[in-house]
Amino acid sequence: MKYTQQVSRVSRLPQAAFALFLGCLLTLSTGLSLASADLTGSSPGISLEIFSQLSPIEINTIHSWEVVLTDKDGAVSGATLDIVGGMPEHNHGMPTQPQITEELAPGRYLLEGVRFHMPGLWRLTASISTEKTRGRPPTVIVIDFTL
C-alpha cells in the first residue's frame, strides 16, 4: 500500500510541473504579473490596476507606475490616459504632474513623475478614452487611498 501511494505522488509531480510551466509561459506571453496591484479601480466596462515601482509607495520619492487597463475583452490598447491626483482634505494637488510616456505592451502604460509629499488621504482621478468610447466623454475612475 505504501508503495502505491508513493507511486501516485510521483506520477502527479510531472502534472504539477507542467501546470507551473504553463502558468509561467502564460505570464510571460501576456505580460501579466503574478504580483498584486498596489492600487485598483474600475468604472462600468473598464478596470485599472496600478503597479508602483516603489512598493510600498513612499513619501517624497519620485517614481514610476505601470498602469494596466482591461475591459471585458482583455487588454485596452491605444488608450488616452490622463491621471491627476491631490489631497481632498487639504484642497491641493500633487507636487508633480505625472505623464504617461509610453505603452509598454498592449494595455500596459508607463506613468512617470509620481511623487507624494505628505501622508494622508490621496485621490487619483483617471480619465480614459479608448477606441470603443470615441465620440463620448472619457471614462473616469476615482481611487482614494491613504499614505
Side-chain angles (χ1 to χ4, degrees):
M1 186 68 145
K2 288 183 180 178
Y3 178 74
T4 305
Q5 289 174 345
Q6 289 175 340
V7 170
S8 66
R9 278 190 214 137
V10 170
S11 67
R12 283 188 227 140
L13 184 60
Q15 292 171 342
F18 183 68
L20 181 61
F21 170 75
L22 283 180
C24 290
L25 187 61
L26 177 65
T27 299
L28 291 173
S29 66
T30 61
L32 295 177
S33 173
L34 297 177
S36 298
D38 293 291
L39 299 170
T40 61
S42 64
S43 188
I46 197 160
S47 294
L48 178 143
E49 293 180 303
I50 294 173
F51 297 87
S52 175
Q53 179 187 51
L54 298 175
S55 192
I57 298 170
E58 297 177 6
I59 303 291
N60 284 323
T61 304
I62 293 180
H63 60 285
S64 299
W65 287 354
E66 192 169 323
V67 180
V68 178
L69 292 178
T70 55
D71 64 12
K72 64 180 178 59
D73 298 322
V76 177
S77 188
T80 301
L81 179 62
D82 183 42
I83 297 179
V84 295
M87 297 188 83
E89 294 174 346
H90 295 264
N91 199 27
H92 64 73
M94 295 177 75
T96 59
Q97 296 178 348
Q99 300 291 314
I100 296 291
T101 57
E102 67 179 296
E103 186 170 2
L104 300 168
R108 299 180 82 83
Y109 301 85
L110 181 62
L111 180 72
E112 295 185 290
V114 179
R115 182 170 78 89
F116 301 99
H117 63 287
M118 61 188 293
L121 175 66
W122 286 87
R123 175 170 292 150
L124 296 178
T125 303
S127 299
I128 305 159
S129 297
T130 68
E131 290 293 323
K132 293 178 183 177
T133 63
R134 182 172 290 180
R136 297 192 306 236
T139 300
V140 175
I141 297 176
V142 176
I143 302 171
D144 286 341
F145 63 99
T146 302
L147 288 178

